[in-house]
Amino acid sequence: MGESDAKAETSLKDQGNEFFKAGNYLKAAALYTQAIKKDPSNATLYSNRAAAFLHLVKLSKALADAEMTINLKPEWEKGYFRKGCILEAMERYEDALAAFRIASKYNPQSSEVSKKIKTLTQLAKDKKRTEELENMRTNIDMAKHFDALKSELSEKYGAEDGWKEFFSFHVETVEGAVKSWHETSKVDPRVYFLLNKEKTDTEKYAPAVNIDKAFESPHTHSNCFAFLRQYAEDSFAQAACLVTPKSIISYPQVWKGQGSRKWKHGQNDGIFVQFESPLVRKLWFIPSSTEKGKTLCRDPVPLDISAHEILPRVFKQE
């Protein structure tokens, strides 16, 4: 490059810097481009244009310039710093962190780089946790939490394959409730019935009964239970699964017991799930919490049904 070209390149770069400082990133990028044409091996020009492109949110172009800066001057921390800032804007936090760590290697005294590493470490951690939460909220797999129910059903109904249908019915009911809770932060209080395919009059008996008034008082609770017990008998139901949010229950407040009935699962809201069949009865509480603005059901906690039952026995014992 001749002396006049060097002066022209310097002049274009200086002009670009003035426009950059004034916030005119488009004009700055155009001047850096002209300067690069005159001096295509100048790492500073690519670094400056990368910064201009970043402000213009032309991220793929900015990244290409940051990579070129590094290729031309691999031991200059500025190229890695630029790359890190661009990857951060792309929300590629792990990759950004790696770039800032290389920048720190070449300039350990830089407080700017240190701050970026600290910020990106937290951002990467937060992003990973957000992805984990979303995975937990969308990939609902309840069957693994009900091994005790599966074993007891198999033991009590082992001679017939019907217990598998009981188990599938229960898992599907709970997964539906959890999905509803994740999507709307609520679940309708209902008792779901596994009806008899051969005997049930499906014109007369639905597979679910709303029980939103059941927990208002001992009186409504008693009436609801009597209705459900008759419904189970008349519909030839084989099993039932009660699902209700804790927050709507005025009676019975099973989380206020003492001694063996003492509640050990905190004050958070959540879902009670009670499985009923002639031979097997089980109860769980699924605690709910909010993390990063998202509602999340935790793992079901088995409860002692004799101490915490939400409804008395629905089916007559065989």
Side-chain angles (χ1 to χ4, degrees):
M1 183 173 68
E3 191 177 332
S4 61
D5 282 343
K7 283 181 183 174
E9 172 270 313
T10 302
S11 173
L12 288 166
K13 184 183 84 169
D14 290 345
Q15 287 176 57
N17 290 348
E18 289 304 314
F19 278 107
F20 188 96
K21 286 173 192 168
N24 189 338
Y25 304 114
L26 194 61
K27 184 66 176 171
L31 286 160
Y32 295 140
T33 299
Q34 289 178 49
I36 285 167
K37 284 176 183 173
K38 294 180 180 297
D39 187 6
S41 59
N42 188 321
T44 303
L45 294 173
Y46 285 100
S47 172
N48 289 4
R49 191 171 69 172
F53 281 146
L54 175 57
H55 279 284
L56 293 166
V57 201
K58 294 186 175 183
L59 301 181
S60 56
K61 287 185 174 183
L63 187 58
D65 275 359
E67 296 285 12
M68 181 61 82
T69 305
I70 291 165
N71 289 339
L72 291 170
K73 211 169 178 180
E75 294 184 9
W76 186 37
E77 93 278 356
K78 187 59 73 72
Y80 302 101
F81 185 82
R82 292 273 186 250
K83 183 178 178 180
C85 291
I86 296 155
L87 290 167
E88 179 184 358
M90 291 176 161
E91 297 187 6
R92 290 168 54 184
Y93 299 135
E94 294 283 357
D95 294 337
L97 193 53
F100 287 127
R101 282 179 176 145
I102 299 172
S104 178
K105 188 174 106 178
Y106 290 117
N107 186 3
Q109 279 76 45
S110 171
S111 61
E112 196 176 17
V113 172
S114 297
K115 280 180 192 169
K116 281 289 187 185
I117 288 173
K118 188 176 178 183
T119 301
L120 263 295
T121 300
Q122 190 59 48
L123 282 172
K125 188 177 171 185
D126 288 348
K127 186 180 182 184
K128 187 178 179 185
R129 182 57 185 160
T130 300
E131 287 168 353
E132 285 172 357
L133 285 171
E134 200 48 43
N135 186 49
M136 289 162 74
R137 280 165 49 82
T138 52
N139 298 320
I140 301 163
D141 178 14
M142 285 285 134
K144 62 188 176 187
H145 299 295
F146 299 122
D147 284 343
L149 174 64
K150 185 191 277 188
S151 299
E152 196 167 339
L153 286 171
S154 173
E155 182 187 326
K156 296 283 173 68
Y157 294 97
E160 18 181 315
D161 253 3
W163 73 266
K164 292 179 182 175
E165 192 181 359
F166 286 21
F167 185 71
S168 296
F169 157 74
H170 174 75
V171 169
E172 286 168 18
T173 301
V174 176
E175 287 183 348
V178 169
K179 186 179 178 186
S180 171
W181 193 270
H182 284 167
E183 289 174 356
T184 65
S185 298
K186 65 180 185 179
V187 64
D188 293 324
R190 285 179 180 164
V191 175
Y192 295 85
F193 288 94
L194 177 62
L195 301 174
N196 188 308
K197 291 186 180 75
E198 294 166 6
K199 296 181 180 179
T200 304
D201 180 354
T202 52
E203 294 290 319
K204 191 174 179 183
Y205 297 100
V209 174
N210 288 327
I211 54 167
D212 48 326
K213 307 292 184 191
F215 307 107
E216 291 180 354
S217 69
H219 176 69
T220 59
H221 187 260
S222 175
N223 284 350
C224 178
F225 158 65
F227 170 80
L228 290 170
R229 195 164 207 192
Q230 194 62 51
Y231 192 95
E233 186 175 336
D234 294 347
S235 68
F236 299 101
Q238 298 168 290
C241 185
L242 174 148
V243 173
T244 184
K246 178 186 170 198
S247 59
I248 72 152
I249 300 177
S250 296
Y251 175 88
Q253 293 190 343
V254 298
W255 54 93
K256 290 190 174 177
Q258 297 299 318
S260 64
R261 296 172 183 268
K262 188 166 183 181
W263 184 255
K264 301 171 184 174
H265 311 291
Q267 297 307 306
N268 277 13
D269 198 8
I271 308 168
F272 282 104
V273 175
Q274 185 169 317
F275 176 82
E276 291 280 326
S277 74
L279 298 179
V280 178
R281 301 180 74 223
K282 291 279 188 188
L283 178 65
W284 298 264
F285 180 64
I286 304 176
S288 171
S289 61
T290 303
E291 190 174 338
K292 299 191 181 299
K294 300 284 188 180
T295 305
L296 179 69
C297 286
R298 303 294 176 176
D299 293 348
V301 180
L303 302 176
D304 179 355
I305 198 164
S306 65
H308 296 110
E309 70 178 7
I310 304 300
L311 280 175
R313 180 182 289 280
V314 171
F315 293 90
K316 293 172 182 173
Q317 283 180 282
E318 289 181 357

